[in-house]
Amino acid sequence: MRAVVQRVSGAAVTVAGEQVGAIEGPGLCVLVGVTHGDTGEKAAQLARKLWTLRLFDGGEVEQSCSDLNAPLLVISQFTLYGDARKGRRPTWNAAAPGPVAEPLVDEVVAQLRTLGATVETGRFGADMKVSLVNDGPFTVLLEV
């Protein structure tokens, strides 16, 4: 699994003009991609990492979402597994198909909620419009 994690002061996702998820910061906007061979165990590992990763300023000690009870906006993003090394058109061969990916993205969300996180989401497979204010800017790539 791959994730692009952005520290935000706010983020929202809309589908067909309807807001389906939003957070007010400080928080994280997380784009999650799933590849072949990813498992529920990897989803749980990613959730734990997202919840405890120290990305927020807290004086001398950096803090995590768990320290601040900061919300997360989690959005599925198959294009994280796009490969554009050859030619001018990316291939999506490394991205897991929807029936495999959707339950694993849902599992990341469920695991975060089990850990105590406030989580908003996009809508899997929809044409989503994401807006955010990146705080920093601060962006981290994760792979588990």
Side-chain angles (χ1 to χ4, degrees), residues 59-127:
E60 292 183 27
V61 178
E62 291 187 9
Q63 296 179 315
S64 65
C65 282
S66 65
D67 295 324
L68 300 173
N69 201 28
L72 299 95
L73 176 61
V74 176
I75 302 165
S76 63
Q77 185 76 39
F78 80 93
T79 61
L80 293 181
Y81 280 100
D83 184 353
R85 290 177 288 181
K86 294 182 182 178
R88 297 179 296 145
R89 181 181 302 159
T91 64
W92 314 111
N93 296 336
V100 173
E102 184 174 13
L104 290 174
V105 173
D106 290 346
E107 184 63 18
V108 171
V109 171
Q111 290 291 326
L112 280 164
R113 288 179 175 150
T114 297
L115 292 168
T118 299
V119 184
E120 293 284 323
T121 64
R123 188 171 296 152
F124 191 91
D127 181 15

Side-chain angles (χ1 to χ4, degrees), residues 45-66:
Q45 181 183 2
L46 179 60
R48 286 189 304 273
K49 182 70 124 176
L50 292 168
W51 187 232
T52 59
L53 196 61
R54 296 181 193 179
L55 300 178
F56 299 93
D57 295 328
E60 292 183 27
V61 178
E62 291 187 9
Q63 296 179 315
S64 65
C65 282
S66 65

Side-chain angles (χ1 to χ4, degrees), residues 1-3 32-47 80-81 101 103-108 142-144:
M1 297 187 99
R2 285 183 181 160
V32 177
V34 178
T35 192
H36 310 282
D38 281 342
T39 63
E41 182 178 297
K42 284 192 176 188
Q45 181 183 2
L46 179 60
L80 293 181
Y81 280 100
L104 290 174
V105 173
D106 290 346
E107 184 63 18
V108 171
L142 295 178
E143 192 152 4
V144 295

